[in-house]
Amino acid sequence: MTAFSTVELTVYPNDCDAFGHLNQAGLAALLERARWEALARGPGMDLFQRNGVWPALRKATIEYRAAAYPRDVLRVETGVVHRGATSFSLRHVARRASDDTVVAEADMVFVCVDHLGRATPLPEEVARFLGPRTMGAHQPLRVAAPTGDAELAVEVRGEGTPVLFVHGFPFDRTMWRHQLAALSRWKRVALDLRGAGDSTGPKSPEGYSMARYADDLVAALDALGIRQTVVCGLSMGGYVLFDLLRRHRDRVKAIVLACTKPDADSAEARRNRDALAALAEREGQDAVVERLLPRLLAPVTPSAQPEVVGQVREMARRWSIPGIVGAVRAMRDRSDSTETLRQLRLPTLVLAGSEDQIAPPEVARAMAALVPGAQLYVVPAAGHLAPLEQPLATTRLLVDFLTQVG
Ligand code: MLT
């Protein structure tokens, strides 16, 4: 269920270009009208004003899927895909009412600002209207883990060659939200690893390891009837992918290694993992994410995109404490994957954030050199979370690679 009602709007000639197609500005205006109309039918158009705030549009990703013409009636569905403390994201799907063709899909990120333009917490009435975080039509499936001690939330969208997205730590599947929305030519599958997001997990940290995470991926693929898939892993998601390659190589068609590295932890890194696990047990999720945040994002991201910082905090809060401790120990104990990559004969794309402090571009370059034929790209102005910090550039690189893979 979504807070916004579905609205039908007619395309006017002045929304269209000289050839009669609905143009960019026309579509953006139409989507805006749909939002106001839905507010008018619900809590009132003055919902924000009467609470002394304004929803400032910070980012819009629009995918044009089919042409629309004057007199077409578009049915615009609007869902809340993310609600943070100060920000929220809406997803619009505009369909031609006469034949249900999807004309455009759009993801819009709003920050709630006060009269001086400063980000401000969503007033209670607005938060109540937006409701808890919803995924609209993308409610995850629940898949039992093979070990029987976890239930995995698996989101599936679209049709085509499957692409499985594996998140890093301490994130969840929503870190891929831009790619899940935009890669409409592929079947996108994203799951929350055990203990993260909407997945449940074992109560003891012993129930977590790279091998278990990898076996969980296979359970999700089996549940969906997917024999082989492209797998895209970010950071810890990459470590899980290395185990998947060792354990279930036949399930993998091609790989994307994003913001990750193949080597095992040094002695010092292992000590830091133990300290982080102890911090999680002592002080909880917030303390963990605050400890990690200074190294997670490009220097420009927190000021340019405060909603990304908000989302990182929210994702971390959705981990259970055993899930965090289990993941940290699983990373501490992971094997070196250099040899796994050297043996690999699969189409491979390596992506690095230009400002990533955890898996810097030079590490990515060395990793790409291990795999014959691997492609390497550095995403500018991105830290360790390129898909969220620079979604358009990251998605474009994925589209190019996935198109080659076929
Ligand atoms: C991640 O993003 O998954 C972690 O930063 C990986 C790590 O700490 O090695």
Side-chain angles (χ1 to χ4, degrees):
M1 278 300 292
T2 169
F4 289 80
S5 36
T6 298
V7 171
E8 292 199 347
L9 295 169
T10 303
V11 177
Y12 295 133
N14 65 321
D15 295 325
C16 299
D17 62 22
F19 297 101
H21 298 88
L22 174 63
N23 64 26
Q24 278 183 59
L27 178 65
L30 226 110
L31 296 178
E32 182 167 6
R33 244 162 66 211
R35 292 194 292 277
W36 287 118
E37 179 62 35
L39 281 184
R41 292 184 195 178
M45 266 192 195
D46 62 343
L47 171 70
F48 291 94
Q49 253 165 331
R50 69 178 178 250
N51 282 284
V53 295
W54 192 250
L57 182 62
R58 282 288 161 83
K59 189 181 290 181
T61 314
I62 302 183
E63 191 169 351
Y64 301 91
R65 305 275 300 274
Y69 303 94
R71 292 192 301 278
D72 277 351
V73 174
L74 299 189
R75 194 168 52 242
V76 182
E77 290 162 14
T78 303
V80 182
V81 288
H82 169 79
R83 180 169 78 65
T86 60
S87 67
F88 62 95
S89 305
L90 301 181
R91 178 166 177 73
H92 294 294
V93 179
R95 288 190 167 79
R96 194 162 39 228
S98 57
D99 60 2
D100 223 32
T101 300
V102 175
V103 169
E105 294 179 80
D107 281 288
M108 309 273 181
V109 181
F110 296 86
V111 174
C112 183
V113 295
D114 63 14
H115 63 290
L116 292 176
R118 292 172 305 206
T120 189
L122 294 172
E124 207 201 316
E125 192 190 10
V126 175
R128 217 172 332 111
F129 168 67
L130 295 173
R133 187 175 65 98
T134 61
M135 301 302 291
H138 308 296
Q139 287 294 351
L141 305 171
R142 313 285 314 171
V143 173
T147 42
D149 51 5
E151 206 185 48
L152 309 164
V154 185
E155 186 175 333
V156 189
R157 297 200 208 175
E159 288 305 328
T161 300
V163 185
L164 172 64
F165 292 91
V166 190
H167 63 80
F169 172 87
F171 320 125
D172 60 33
R173 70 181 198 281
T174 64
M175 64 149 285
W176 301 108
R177 63 197 168 91
H178 300 287
Q179 290 69 40
L180 296 180
L183 293 170
S184 56
R185 281 163 47 208
W186 292 270
K187 181 179 195 125
R188 293 90 78 199
V189 180
L191 89 173
D192 290 333
L193 293 172
R194 52 174 58 209
D198 294 321
S199 291
T200 63
K203 300 272 173 291
S204 155
E206 309 309 315
Y208 298 81
S209 67
M210 291 303 155
R212 292 220 170 139
Y213 293 129
D215 291 351
D216 288 350
L217 300 187
V218 171
L221 295 178
D222 286 346
L224 297 170
I226 296 174
R227 180 71 222 130
Q228 254 204 345
T229 179
V230 180
V231 186
C232 177
L234 180 132
S235 199
M236 186 178 96
Y239 311 158
V240 176
L241 172 49
F242 299 143
D243 256 63
L244 185 72
L245 290 168
R246 284 188 282 270
R247 297 168 74 78
H248 308 279
R249 159 72 191 76
D250 58 320
R251 306 303 291 266
V252 185
K253 179 182 164 83
I255 63 171
V256 181
L257 298 170
C259 310
T260 194
K261 53 191 176 193
D263 45 327
D265 273 3
S266 65
E268 189 195 348
R270 290 170 61 85
R271 280 194 296 278
N272 290 338
R273 300 281 192 206
D274 289 336
L276 192 66
L279 181 71
E281 281 174 328
R282 216 174 43 242
E283 295 179 33
Q285 293 87 340
D286 286 352
V288 169
V289 73
E290 295 313 320
R291 167 87 48 103
L292 297 175
L293 261 170
R295 299 185 71 221
L296 280 181
L297 303 171
V300 65
T301 301
S303 54
Q305 305 184 82
E307 69 280 4
V308 171
V309 181
Q311 190 184 342
V312 170
R313 291 197 170 109
E314 274 209 23
M315 290 190 288
R317 285 187 193 132
R318 292 197 288 268
W319 282 68
S320 69
I321 296 298
I324 290 185
V325 175
V328 168
R329 292 189 186 151
M331 288 191 280
R332 177 195 67 187
D333 298 337
R334 75 186 189 280
S335 332
D336 187 297
S337 295
T338 308
E339 218 30 59
T340 306
L341 289 182
R342 243 191 221 119
Q343 307 294 329
L344 201 65
R345 297 293 177 273
L346 281 179
T348 299
L349 170 66
V350 174
L351 292 181
S354 63
E355 318 290 324
D356 190 344
Q357 298 178 49
I358 297 168
E362 58 273 21
V363 169
R365 205 162 286 121
M367 179 166 68
L370 294 170
V371 186
Q375 302 174 36
L376 166 78
Y377 290 97
V378 177
V379 180
H384 192 53
L385 269 169
L388 256 188
E389 298 178 78
Q390 296 301 337
L392 291 181
T394 307
T395 303
R396 171 54 44 211
L397 292 166
L398 286 173
V399 166
D400 289 348
F401 178 69
L402 294 170
T403 306
Q404 289 164 34
V405 167

